[in-house]
Amino acid sequence: MRPNLRLLLLAPLAGSLIFASACGDDAGNGDQDNGSGNGGSAGQQQAPELAWNEVPLGLEAMDAAFDSNVPEDNEMTEANVALGKQLFFDKRLSADGSTSCQTCHQHRYGWTNGERFSTKVGGAQNTRNSPTMYNVGYHGDLYWDGRAPSLEVNIAAAWKGHMNKGEDTQARADEIGAIEGYASQFQDVFGEAPTTENVTKALASFTRSLRAGNSAWDQYEATKDASLVSPEAIAGQKLFTIKGGCIACHLPPLYRSDQYHAVGVGETKDIGRGKIEENNPLAQGAFRVPTLRNITKTAPYFHDGSVSELREAVYIMASGGAQSEFFPTNSPVLQNRNLSDGEIDLIVEFLKTLESTEGFTPPTLPE
């Protein structure tokens, strides 16, 4: 049986703004995070960390979608999520010991890395922006172009291609298995030594636990307490829903969809979804609709990270898309919404209320 995923974060968090902090230092073998989102102002109480199976406020209706993406041969348990958390932070999974999954997906940046492109082991750069890992457990297909049908496939490919220069990852699994603390955990969780397959499964279980909800807007919707959000944010949500038409693609409660659209953004000839749907003209230069939860933390924006400011990204979309020389906008849902500067500002105020505030404590890695 699958675990009960209906636990709710019952205690609403006071306030929703998190202030930026300096980058954390490496400690031990794992990249460290200060455990408080984008950091915390002096004296600010850190929000609690979500339990591995805790469903945050606002996502209760998504249980079935979540369950459908958990493979029967990789059920989530407290033990395999905890193991995956350690592995996610462990640079020993990379060919040269320089990179962990967390290097490109950091909590303080909404599980992105705050940069336009990440750098692979060996020095080559990726050509697409690191997407957030928040709520990926609700996704069907993964990557900007949707080419991976599951988290397990996604993670196996990233581990091999990004962290191991395309080489077989079993050698990394064998090295992990030589560490006593890991060897015993893998026996407890999988009944065997580490392998490429079960390392991938543990990582997938951990990333499925990275949920974002209980934002100021979720609290407002649950209580109708107008003191939780500003009048500007309430006005912005109405624009988001009606005049701005944003809700056509960014569907609550995840504020994303499995749609792919060519929005005219791109400084290189990246055909995106067109590589999977070769005969679909609308797929040429099209990319997945991203989530807007924690969008304030995940700059820069779009598949190529070419836009650094959230307001500019909103303006581009509200104006009917950009005008890439490679792929002009051809999305059937995009149009110029004729929003004023003030109306765009109001939508941005609404998007700020979708920021989650859960804490995060980095793991201690086995030696």
Side-chain angles (χ1 to χ4, degrees):
M1 292 180 63
R2 289 181 177 167
N4 182 356
L5 298 175
R6 296 183 177 278
L7 300 176
L8 304 181
L9 189 57
L10 297 177
L13 305 177
S16 64
L17 295 180
I18 298 179
F19 300 94
S21 69
C23 293
D25 298 323
D26 286 356
N29 293 313
D31 304 291
Q32 297 299 300
D33 185 293
N34 63 12
S36 58
N38 276 19
S41 59
Q44 184 182 18
Q45 184 176 1
Q46 179 177 311
E49 183 171 4
L50 290 177
W52 68 274
N53 58 352
E54 196 165 20
V55 180
L57 185 69
L59 301 187
E60 305 93 325
M62 299 301 297
D63 281 5
F66 188 95
D67 282 355
S68 69
N69 289 321
V70 179
E72 292 185 359
D73 66 348
N74 191 27
E75 300 288 355
M76 290 176 70
T77 66
E78 184 175 5
N80 75 358
V81 170
L83 174 58
K85 182 177 182 179
Q86 292 175 316
L87 294 166
F88 192 88
F89 276 72
D90 205 324
K91 294 179 178 179
R92 291 171 291 191
L93 286 183
S94 64
D96 61 1
S98 68
T99 302
S100 69
C101 304
Q102 193 263 351
T103 302
C104 298
H105 300 282
Q106 301 177 35
H107 183 246
R108 67 171 62 86
Y109 298 124
W111 297 113
T112 68
N113 69 345
E115 300 178 6
R116 183 174 185 184
F117 300 122
S118 57
T119 302
K120 301 179 184 181
V121 167
Q125 276 197 324
N126 282 307
T127 58
R128 294 177 185 166
N129 184 251
S130 296
T132 180
M133 302 302 289
Y134 271 126
N135 294 334
V136 291
Y138 299 94
H139 290 210
D141 299 334
L142 281 300
Y143 283 119
W144 278 103
D145 57 14
R147 68 184 182 274
S150 70
L151 262 176
E152 284 76 7
V153 172
N154 183 180
I155 288 169
W159 182 20
K160 181 177 181 178
H162 184 98
M163 298 169 63
N164 284 278
K165 298 184 285 188
E167 299 171 3
D168 182 15
T169 50
Q170 184 58 46
R172 304 287 84 75
D174 291 340
E175 292 172 8
I176 288 293
I179 300 167
E180 182 177 353
Y182 274 130
S184 60
Q185 286 187 80
F186 273 90
Q187 285 297 330
D188 290 344
V189 174
F190 296 107
E192 61 182 3
T195 64
T196 290
E197 182 179 7
N198 60 31
V199 168
T200 298
K201 285 182 175 181
L203 286 167
S205 290
F206 168 66
T207 55
R208 287 190 175 100
S209 75
L210 302 178
R211 309 196 204 198
N214 197 36
S215 67
W217 191 259
D218 295 308
Q219 296 169 29
Y220 167 70
E221 287 197 316
T223 65
K224 304 306 178 187
D225 182 353
S227 69
L228 295 171
V229 295
S230 68
E232 291 79 11
I234 293 173
Q237 191 271 344
K238 291 179 181 177
L239 286 164
F240 178 93
T241 304
I242 303 173
K243 184 178 179 180
C246 314
I247 201 171
C249 298
H250 298 280
L251 303 172
L254 297 177
Y255 293 93
R256 61 168 293 277
S257 67
D258 287 326
Q259 303 171 28
Y260 298 85
H261 292 286
V263 300
V265 171
E267 296 181 359
T268 61
K269 196 171 185 178
D270 186 343
I271 66 174
R273 185 68 179 174
K275 191 171 183 178
I276 290 88
E277 300 182 43
E278 297 180 0
N279 297 321
N280 180 2
L282 293 180
Q284 305 307 308
F287 294 89
R288 175 186 295 284
V289 175
T291 181
L292 298 180
R293 284 192 176 270
N294 283 310
I295 194 70
T296 51
K297 301 177 185 178
T298 58
Y301 303 107
F302 296 109
H303 71 278
D304 64 347
S306 58
V307 175
S308 60
E309 299 295 329
L310 177 56
R311 191 188 186 284
E312 182 182 355
V314 173
Y315 173 80
I316 288 172
M317 298 303 292
S319 301
Q323 296 297 324
S324 167
E325 63 177 293
F326 301 106
F327 296 103
T329 301
N330 66 358
S331 167
V333 300
L334 271 185
Q335 58 181 279
N336 188 342
R337 300 289 175 166
N338 297 308
L339 298 183
S340 67
D341 287 346
E343 288 173 323
I344 290 173
D345 290 338
L346 291 174
I347 291 178
V348 172
E349 288 305 307
F350 164 63
L351 295 180
K352 291 177 181 178
T353 71
L354 297 179
E355 198 173 284
S356 66
T357 57
E358 79 295 328
F360 186 78
T361 304
T364 299
L365 305 185
E367 296 292 340

